[in-house]
Amino acid sequence: QVQLVESGGGLALVGRSLRLSCVASGDIESEDTMGWFRQGTDKHRDLIARYRKGSSQPMYEDSMEGRFTISRDAAKKAVYLDIHSVKSEDTGIFYCNLRRYHSDSSWSDYWGQGTQVTVSA
């Protein structure tokens, strides 16, 4: 079993910065990778950034690069998302994701419960 617990959401004023945190627990494997997704009003769950298997460098969705910074603390099994200068379109639920790769090249995704971010002018 894998558990992901996000925190750090809430009400944010336009232009402020926000840090989201996610801590993984349970049956975590060394090659699991973690990332962040955002679900906006359109209900689509869009990738913001994630770490890739076998790489210490994260990848960002093109439209997300610049205002978001992902980081991690392997010892704490945690991943963080810094949102710089929040905008109204950042309003939504932010989900932490853990991806587990299998020997046949398939993968399984695990999700946290999400943390709500509401941006106010």
Side-chain angles (χ1 to χ4, degrees):
Q1 288 282 8
V2 172
Q3 294 84 39
L4 302 171
V5 179
E6 302 101 330
S7 60
L11 183 64
L13 297 176
V14 169
R16 296 292 181 90
S17 295
L18 199 64
R19 166 168 274 209
L20 307 181
S21 302
C22 173
V23 178
S25 62
D27 181 26
I28 308 302
E29 299 180 1
S30 60
E31 293 194 337
D32 291 340
T33 62
M34 296 178 72
W36 286 97
F37 287 70
R38 181 181 68 191
Q39 179 173 308
T41 54
D42 61 3
K43 304 303 182 184
H44 292 155
R45 195 173 293 189
D46 298 316
L47 172 68
I48 298 172
R50 72 170 312 113
Y51 285 93
R52 293 171 291 182
K53 181 182 177 183
S55 174
S56 61
Q57 297 301 312
M59 61 85 66
Y60 293 86
E61 182 65 20
D62 286 344
S63 62
M64 303 291 185
E65 193 162 12
R67 285 197 309 113
F68 298 91
T69 302
I70 189 172
S71 59
R72 64 184 175 183
D73 185 330
K76 295 181 179 179
K77 298 180 182 177
V79 65
Y80 308 97
L81 184 70
D82 289 301
I83 311 173
H84 313 290
S85 188
V86 295
K87 298 181 178 181
S88 57
E89 55 258 42
D90 292 325
T91 293
I93 304 173
F94 285 72
Y95 289 95
C96 179
N97 167 270
L98 182 145
R99 176 162 288 179
R100 174 163 299 163
Y101 295 89
H102 305 296
S103 58
D104 64 356
S105 299
S106 65
W107 62 81
S108 299
D109 281 328
Y110 299 86
W111 300 93
Q113 81 286 352
T115 186
Q116 174 73 45
V117 172
T118 302
V119 180
S120 176

